């Protein structure tokens, strides 16, 4: 019996060591691909990179922060890879079948908008922030805009609008969580990171949002 136990532990040790080596190999390959893509501005094997980033998300997140990389580095890379993958699909979706999701934190503290339980915050275009101008830009192109009070509200909006493509703005964590939902629903999307995140009066490049919203084949 003791010999059998030794054999079992020996086999388990081999299995664990093999899994560990495979994980290390995956990490090395992924780091090389990300580094090469950043250097050449060309993305290689984005689906493989996303697979590894999702598979090893939590240990990679801890590792990158320990070695001094910017907070949310893994989320940002993951979002960039998904943006690259969805680009062609997004170009083929008519504007009227797209929606733009904005976080409520972009509003000013004294924002006069009123929260609608079904459609989110209703912008009055008061001019205190850039949201009103962005909504006018999208309305001219039949792109619906929703200012959502929280992540859970996104599902309600998707059910209401039934979009075929989604452009979303948020912090790196929110964008990753939203991208997983879109992957499950098989809806192409594009994520735009906040330049300054937080709970109130965050900042974003509105021109970048406009360009993302009207991506087309032309």
């Amino acid at each position: 019996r003791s010999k059998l136990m030794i054999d079992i532990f020996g086999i388990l040790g081999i299995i664990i060591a093999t899994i560990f080596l495979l994980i290390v190999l995956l990490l090395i390959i992924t780091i090389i691909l990300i580094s090469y893509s950043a250097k050449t501005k060309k993305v290689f094997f984005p689906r493989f990179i996303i697979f590894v980033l999702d598979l090893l998300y939590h240990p990679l997140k801890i590792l990158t922060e320990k070695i001094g990389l910017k907070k949310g580095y893994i989320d940002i890379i993951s979002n960039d890879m998904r943006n690259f993958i969805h680009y062609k699909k997004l170009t083929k979706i008519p504007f009227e079948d797209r929606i733009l999701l904005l976080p409520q934190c972009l509003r000013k503290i004294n924002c006069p908008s009123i929260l609608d339980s079904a459609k989110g915050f209703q912008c009055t275009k008061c001019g205190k922030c850039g949201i009103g101008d962005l909504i006018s830009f999208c309305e001219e192109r039949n792109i619906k805009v929703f200012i959502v009070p929280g992540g859970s509200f996104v599902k309600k909006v998707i059910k209401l609008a039934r979009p075929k493509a989604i452009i979303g703005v948020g912090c790196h964590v929110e964008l990753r969580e939203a991208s997983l939902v879109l992957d499950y629903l098989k809806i192409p999307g594009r994520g735009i990171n906040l330049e300054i995140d937080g709970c109130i009066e965050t900042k974003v490049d509105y021109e970048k949002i406009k360009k993302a919203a009207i991506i087309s084949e032309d």
Side-chain angles (χ1 to χ4, degrees):
R1 182 175 295 180
S2 59
K3 184 179 180 181
L4 177 62
M5 290 297 292
I6 292 173
D7 289 341
I8 291 174
F9 283 122
I11 293 171
L12 286 174
I14 293 172
I15 293 173
I16 293 171
T18 302
I19 293 173
F20 178 78
L21 288 173
L22 285 173
I23 290 174
V24 172
L25 181 61
L26 285 174
L27 282 175
I28 292 172
I29 294 173
T30 303
I31 291 170
I32 291 172
L33 288 173
I34 291 174
S35 300
Y36 191 71
S37 297
K39 187 176 181 180
T40 62
K41 304 299 181 183
K42 295 179 181 179
V43 181
F44 295 91
F45 304 107
R47 293 186 185 279
F48 172 79
I49 293 174
I50 288 175
F51 168 76
V52 176
L53 294 182
D54 286 346
L55 179 68
L56 304 174
Y57 176 71
H58 291 292
L60 277 174
K61 197 172 180 68
I62 294 171
L63 176 62
T64 51
E65 290 181 8
K66 288 288 186 183
I67 62 176
L69 292 177
K70 65 188 292 185
K71 187 176 181 181
Y73 181 79
I74 296 301
D75 297 318
I76 294 169
I77 294 296
S78 178
N79 182 53
D80 288 345
M81 292 298 111
R82 283 183 162 90
N83 283 349
F84 179 82
I85 289 173
H86 293 152
Y87 184 86
K88 286 187 177 180
K89 287 183 180 179
L90 183 58
T91 63
K92 297 176 182 178
I93 304 297
F95 290 170
E96 60 267 24
D97 292 325
R98 305 179 186 187
I99 65 171
L100 170 62
L101 299 180
L102 301 175
Q104 65 89 19
C105 59
L106 282 172
R107 301 178 305 127
K108 292 295 182 181
I109 293 178
N110 57 347
C111 173
S113 64
I114 298 173
L115 178 62
D116 183 290
S117 60
K119 299 179 181 179
F121 285 97
Q122 301 299 289
C123 179
T124 62
K125 300 181 181 179
C126 67
K128 293 179 180 178
C129 70
I131 293 178
D133 174 66
L134 178 60
I135 290 177
S136 296
F137 175 87
C138 290
E139 284 177 341
E140 292 173 2
R141 294 157 179 81
N142 295 316
I143 300 172
K144 298 182 184 69
V145 181
F146 296 89
I147 307 170
V148 297
S152 60
F153 203 89
V154 173
K155 294 179 181 178
K156 186 183 293 187
V157 169
I158 292 175
K159 188 175 181 180
L160 172 69
R162 298 188 179 280
K164 294 182 179 177
I166 297 177
I167 295 89
V169 179
C171 66
H172 52 82
V173 175
E174 289 174 335
L175 289 181
R176 181 181 180 275
E177 291 174 351
S179 69
L180 295 176
V181 174
L182 295 189
D183 285 349
Y184 175 76
L185 297 174
K186 299 188 184 304
I187 298 176
R190 191 167 189 84
I192 308 296
N193 278 291
L194 292 169
E195 293 185 339
I196 299 177
D197 57 19
C199 298
I200 55 173
E201 295 193 355
T202 54
K203 296 187 181 299
V204 72
D205 185 338
Y206 284 99
E207 291 304 312
K208 187 180 291 186
I209 299 174
K210 290 178 181 179
K211 289 178 182 178
I214 59 172
I215 286 173
S216 64
E217 293 181 283
D218 298 333

